[in-house]
Amino acid sequence: MRRLMLAALAAILLAPATARAGTYDLTIGTAAINVAGKDQTAMTINGSIPGPVLRFKEGEDLVINVTNTLAEDTSIHWHGLILPYQQDGVPGISFPGIKPGETFTYRFPAQQAGTYWYHSHSGMQEAVGMYGALVIEPKAREPFRYDREHVIVLSDWHPDDSPHKILSNLKMSADYYNYQKRTLSTFVDDAGKMGLGAALADRMDWGDMRMLPSDIADVSGYVFLANGRNTEQNWTGLFKPGERVRLRFINAAAMTFFDVRIPGLKMTVVQADGNNVRPVPVDEFRIAVAETYDVIVRPTEDKAYAVLAESMARTGFARATLAPRMGMAGDIPANRPKQYLTMADMGMAHGDMAGMAGMDHGTMGQGATHTMPDGSTMAGTRHEGQGMTHAMPDGTTMKGESHAGHSMPAQPTHTMPDGATMAGMDHSAHGAPASGDKADPFYAPGSGLMPKAAEGGKFLSYADLKAIKPLYPDRPAAREIEVRLTGNMERYVWSINGVKYSDAEPIRLKFGERVRFKFVNETMMTHPMHLHGMWQILDNGSGKYNPAKHTISIAPGKTVEADIEADAEGEWAFHCHLMYHMATGMFRKVVVERETAEAVR
Amino acid sequence: MTTSKKTSSRAACALLAAVLGMGTTPAWSGAGQPGHGHDAAPAQGHMMGGQGMPGQMMGTQGMPGHHGAAPAIGGPGKAADVTRTIDITMQDNFYEPAEIAVKAGETVHFKIVNKGTLLHEFGLGTAAMHAAHQKEMMVMMEHGMIEADRVNHERMKMSHGPGQMAMSHSHGADQGSVLVEPGKSAEIIWKFPKEATLEFACNVPGHYESGMMGPIRIK
């Protein structure tokens, strides 16, 4: 017996070392879909929305033949995958794109495991259906167990306007889709709540900024989909009571952030952006555009559970159902009340991890001026706390001291726009999972976007994400690159450091260096920033256990830092994953190059 | 899984720290938990070096194994009665072996080693007991008494804030539960009942839910 095994082992060892290949053929075309009460044309991969779930094993070669039957160029980008840059699928950066009638073969080894996805990187094809899930099974045992799994791809579909029409509407009027303008009657309500003076001051501040305090989303009117089905079509995943079910959530929406919950079930987050994290039991989590989260649930009852993905702007749900049998549906509750942005979301508080001060209307003239999205400057914020960088009107930056790893003075209070004070966060328990509805340090104190679990309990924070096995040894970054997220709402132009893609030089990284990206969100929108080809190691205060992500979402008025190990030579895309922000210039090319004698000369 | 007739000459030791400022027990304590005459601070099966906890050393034999009206899950066993040793390896976040079979009434010596990078528990109990214990450990983590990869003994001993009761704990080899830090090991000698539906589980937040639990089959 033993001898036989040895012989078999020898045979394995002597076999030529060729990785097996997982091969898929994908056809890009169009198909009629009906998710909004009428037949409409979508761009599809193998005829469906989403495209097929592509499954591979870690270590094998991916071979994917993509045939373009459209009348326009197309491409597929493998979101979150580590690969040679020529295989990354970004027209104009990685390759020329795939011409009509052409078949392009992607071929690269699977160097990682986890839940990822793929989508078109041409024009705005992604917004009309060109996306799908990609799952790589790991070689090693995962740090969790499950009996079955379901992929849940969340997305948005606009029933009225094509992406090009949406973009031209936004260009014409940035608040074209803002159905939630505050009216005289809400002013009267506010005056009742805040007092007339405060309500007036608040309105005037918003007016000065030429912004609307309700702009949580730039585009409304969407139908939300789970695995390509609307709420009525009710995509259903089966389970047997008592089974552990792994749900692989992917946000493939063009513009929509979702808050995900399953009433009656605790979810345990085990993976973020494909990388294992220490398990976090939560009641709800927010998934930014392009992120993925894997959760384990254990439904024990013989009944239907609703998987609810509510848009962050509270305009509707994507709903799927987990059920013991087909034909059941989980209940859809009413939308939560609309959320409005607050003064805290105006970018007044460029806080870091430690959550900084809000505005103090009583003290004008101290502190830095802020460059507002429309180019005007606004003075008069008082900052408690240190370690902030302010963009000065002349474009220079003024640095405070670095805060990494410091704890804040205990419990600073923040003066809110309405004159109320709000206790600051207690950071003494830094690293402990926050319970209940403690303020999330990744949102400005008093932010209208502050997450709160619908039914009480724990809402996942970035602060909870800790790598199980860090991908890289921890080391200090050699240098810092400031990535200011900027935009002009009036003209609907989005940019990085005030410069749009077409006018910008690439960001150059030296092969092998570790660089810190310091994201400073100077706009009122949340931006999920995606770097191709390399991980962004999010600094959430976990030191060597900081989680590696491909997409990091930065809330208004926040500064978030992440380290990049520049270990992938080539030319890569780096952009906000909101479709219309990317399309109007919030995009950079990142070049990773070896230092040659010529370059050093 | 190795089993042997060899009995350990050494009973598992439990470090018992007196809990300061005992007030009323939290509502969830006792929900399906074995009632124990006293609230023991976590007793790491004698492997928690260097932490110098106050308290006295006691052998498990000396423990009053009185378990009130709680479900019969068995109790601390005598070294002399051990008929089998079971080696348990804890990893992030699973056990090897994945399930355990014992004979009715058998006394088993568990030798537990944590080969993972995170703090883990090896606890014996019913599913309901584990569910209650998960709530307790979530609170312990929120209060910094346990961290992802260590037990914070200082915090364990503190009561949290004025007017708050100290936490009660149901860790201790005598209660069929040990918390083991990465790289450390622990032992439990346990006498199983004639019949019961039991699980061994890690109730560190998120671990049970990730599947770090397994059935104990009593034959």
Side-chain angles (χ1 to χ4, degrees):
Chain A
M1 178 68 201
R2 170 155 298 188
R3 187 168 303 172
L4 262 178
M5 277 182 56
L6 280 174
L9 195 63
I12 291 166
L13 293 174
L14 294 173
T18 51
R20 50 185 297 275
T23 304
Y24 283 95
D25 296 320
L26 301 181
T27 301
I28 312 303
T30 58
I33 65 159
N34 184 338
V35 292
K38 53 189 169 183
D39 275 351
Q40 297 179 282
T41 304
M43 287 188 183
T44 53
I45 300 162
N46 288 7
S48 68
I49 292 186
V53 177
L54 308 182
R55 288 185 181 271
F56 299 95
K57 291 193 172 63
E58 187 182 4
E60 76 180 359
D61 280 331
L62 286 72
V63 178
I64 307 165
N65 305 304
V66 180
T67 301
N68 182 7
T69 70
L70 300 169
E72 60 189 76
D73 285 15
T74 192
S75 59
I76 298 281
H77 162 62
W78 315 102
H79 188 111
L81 294 201
I82 302 302
L83 38 57
Y85 83 95
Q86 302 89 337
Q87 303 295 313
D88 194 46
V90 182
I93 293 182
S94 335
F95 78 144
I98 309 171
K99 298 269 173 291
E102 195 180 88
T103 297
F104 182 88
T105 299
Y106 292 90
R107 188 189 301 270
F108 55 93
Q111 302 177 53
Q112 64 207 105
T115 301
Y116 300 94
W117 64 298
Y118 62 101
H119 59 83
S120 166
H121 225 288
S122 299
M124 293 183 278
Q125 294 169 349
E126 189 195 339
V128 287
M130 275 188 62
Y131 46 81
L134 190 154
V135 172
I136 307 174
E137 300 293 341
K139 272 189 211 162
R141 176 166 178 167
E142 292 177 303
F144 44 86
R145 236 180 347 145
Y146 54 95
D147 303 303
R148 71 167 77 204
E149 61 158 272
H150 295 297
V151 169
I152 299 182
V153 178
L154 302 169
S155 62
D156 49 17
W157 174 265
H158 212 282
D160 306 320
D161 299 330
S162 72
H164 293 91
K165 181 80 171 87
I166 291 171
L167 192 53
S168 70
N169 289 342
L170 289 167
K171 284 280 194 197
M172 191 170 63
S173 163
D175 61 4
Y176 181 94
Y177 289 99
N178 193 339
Y179 297 162
Q180 301 167 32
K181 283 189 194 178
R182 295 205 289 183
T183 58
L184 181 62
S185 68
T186 63
F187 174 74
V188 171
D189 289 346
D190 282 356
K193 272 186 284 195
M194 312 162 81
L196 183 64
L200 267 173
D202 188 53
R203 286 300 192 284
M204 283 168 70
D205 283 328
W206 288 107
D208 285 349
M209 292 169 66
R210 285 184 265 163
M211 289 184 192
L212 293 150
S214 42
D215 286 347
I216 278 182
D218 324 23
V219 184
S220 57
Y222 278 122
V223 174
F224 303 115
L225 308 178
N227 288 339
R229 313 261 208 321
N230 66 21
T231 49
E232 277 165 66
Q233 294 159 339
N234 188 29
W235 182 89
T236 301
L238 295 181
F239 68 87
K240 287 200 188 81
E243 280 183 330
R244 275 187 199 78
V245 184
R246 176 186 191 165
L247 301 175
R248 300 176 183 264
F249 285 100
I250 297 165
N251 187 350
M255 293 297 283
T256 308
F257 295 74
F258 291 102
D259 288 350
V260 179
R261 65 191 195 261
I262 308 175
L265 289 184
K266 195 93 178 172
M267 301 179 282
T268 299
V269 176
V270 295
Q271 244 185 36
D273 286 5
N275 290 311
N276 294 329
V277 294
R278 291 180 195 160
V280 193
V282 301
D283 296 287
E284 190 167 351
F285 64 91
R286 177 164 296 166
I287 184 166
V289 171
E291 287 186 319
T292 74
Y293 285 105
D294 289 42
V295 308
I296 307 271
V297 295
R298 198 178 186 191
T300 51
E301 294 175 59
D302 186 65
K303 67 167 202 186
Y305 294 86
V307 179
L308 300 170
E310 188 175 12
S311 72
M312 187 168 75
R314 306 290 179 253
T315 50
F317 290 94
R319 186 269 310 258
T321 293
L322 294 178
R325 294 170 293 285
M326 294 309 278
M328 302 172 82
D331 294 338
I332 304 180
N335 293 346
R336 279 176 274 188
K338 291 274 186 288
Q339 306 202 94
Y340 293 104
L341 294 177
T342 65
M343 296 298 287
D345 297 310
M346 276 197 210
M348 296 294 92
H350 290 307
D352 61 357
M353 269 297 299
M356 291 282 172
M359 298 247 332
D360 178 345
H361 287 282
T363 338
M364 298 301 272
Q366 298 185 30
T369 55
H370 296 275
T371 305
M372 300 314 291
D374 64 357
S376 65
T377 60
M378 177 161 175
T381 55
R382 193 187 70 198
H383 297 284
E384 304 154 27
Q386 337 114 28
M388 295 162 288
T389 306
H390 300 288
M392 305 306 287
D394 64 356
T396 59
T397 59
M398 180 180 85
K399 270 207 175 58
E401 62 182 85
S402 160
H403 243 286
H406 289 226
S407 61
M408 290 293 296
Q411 307 284 6
T413 56
H414 302 289
T415 307
M416 301 308 291
D418 60 358
T421 57
M422 185 179 94
M425 300 187 30
D426 174 7
H427 287 275
S428 58
H430 201 56
S435 67
D437 52 2
K438 277 189 196 143
D440 184 329
F442 281 87
Y443 291 82
S447 168
L449 303 172
M450 185 67 75
K452 196 170 184 305
E455 315 189 14
K458 167 82 183 138
F459 201 111
L460 181 75
S461 163
Y462 269 2
D464 299 320
L465 301 176
K466 295 176 197 323
I468 287 213
K469 284 205 172 74
L471 299 175
Y472 298 93
D474 193 29
R475 57 171 179 157
R479 61 194 178 108
E480 183 179 278
I481 294 176
E482 189 167 61
V483 180
R484 290 188 297 112
L485 309 175
T486 48
N488 180 322
M489 288 288 281
E490 286 291 287
R491 293 192 295 121
Y492 206 82
V493 173
W494 298 92
S495 51
I496 291 172
N497 295 336
V499 182
K500 63 183 198 287
Y501 177 53
S502 51
D503 302 333
E505 283 297 308
I507 296 172
R508 294 187 178 275
L509 305 182
K510 291 195 275 292
F511 180 77
E513 75 173 337
R514 184 173 176 126
V515 178
R516 172 153 288 221
F517 278 12
K518 182 174 184 177
F519 295 100
V520 183
N521 189 350
E522 297 181 2
T523 75
M524 298 178 45
M525 292 288 168
T526 311
H527 300 288
M529 298 301 293
H530 171 46
L531 175 64
H532 290 221
M534 287 161 282
W535 294 106
Q536 303 178 91
I537 304 162
L538 169 70
D539 185 355
N540 65 359
S542 304
K544 67 176 180 179
Y545 296 109
N546 281 340
K549 297 186 86 269
H550 48 63
T551 306
I552 293 179
S553 188
I554 300 106
K558 289 305 293 185
T559 294
V560 175
E561 301 188 355
D563 283 349
I564 287 86
E565 289 279 354
D567 60 353
E569 261 187 293
E571 304 198 343
W572 304 101
F574 171 53
H575 57 91
C576 174
H577 221 281
L578 298 180
M579 176 61 62
Y580 303 106
H581 295 192
M582 178 173 93
T584 59
M586 204 171 219
F587 191 110
R588 278 294 183 280
K589 181 155 81 172
V590 171
V591 180
V592 179
E593 51 204 347
R594 285 181 197 269
E595 279 191 291
T596 60
E598 201 171 326
V600 176
R601 181 196 61 194
Chain B
M1 168 168 164
T2 59
T3 57
S4 72
K5 289 281 184 214
K6 190 186 72 182
T7 58
S8 166
S9 59
R10 190 177 49 175
C13 292
L15 272 174
L16 300 177
V19 172
L20 307 176
M22 273 308 301
T24 49
T25 45
W28 32 257
S29 152
Q33 303 222 27
H36 31 83
H38 59 277
D39 280 88
Q44 286 67 31
H46 81 278
M47 308 303 144
M48 312 295 284
Q51 300 281 2
M53 285 170 59
Q56 65 222 95
M57 298 284 289
M58 297 175 83
T60 39
Q61 283 96 325
M63 291 296 305
H66 105 82
H67 280 278
I73 66 165
K78 296 189 176 69
D81 298 339
V82 169
T83 50
R84 189 182 358 184
T85 298
I86 298 179
D87 287 305
I88 302 283
T89 301
M90 304 202 284
Q91 304 270 18
D92 302 332
N93 294 308
F94 55 90
Y95 294 105
E96 292 164 334
E99 46 186 72
I100 295 171
V102 298
K103 295 191 184 73
E106 189 177 19
T107 298
V108 176
H109 178 195
F110 290 101
K111 291 170 77 177
I112 302 135
V113 59
N114 182 352
K115 289 190 177 168
T117 64
L118 303 175
L119 178 71
H120 293 300
E121 179 193 24
F122 176 79
L124 306 170
T126 61
M129 284 167 60
H130 289 311
H133 192 34
Q134 280 151 33
K135 294 196 177 97
E136 186 178 34
M137 288 194 72
M138 181 68 86
V139 174
M140 286 166 70
M141 193 161 242
E142 282 165 7
H143 285 268
M145 298 153 95
I146 53 170
E147 293 166 25
D149 56 359
R150 62 184 284 263
V151 174
N152 185 329
H153 296 281
E154 286 307 305
R155 292 234 176 178
M156 276 287 197
K157 288 182 300 192
M158 281 163 48
S159 74
H160 292 277
Q164 283 194 44
M165 66 282 171
M167 298 282 312
S168 72
H169 307 293
S170 50
H171 291 121
D174 57 288
Q175 299 175 40
S177 158
V178 284
L179 273 177
V180 188
E181 292 177 332
K184 304 268 174 65
S185 46
E187 303 181 47
I188 293 179
I189 295 178
W190 198 256
K191 186 179 190 327
F192 283 94
K194 291 274 184 288
E195 56 178 346
T197 306
L198 302 180
E199 295 172 348
F200 60 109
C202 174
N203 296 304
V204 170
H207 294 199
Y208 184 98
E209 298 89 329
S210 303
M212 192 164 182
M213 51 78 69
I216 300 173
R217 303 190 198 289
I218 301 181
K219 290 176 181 144

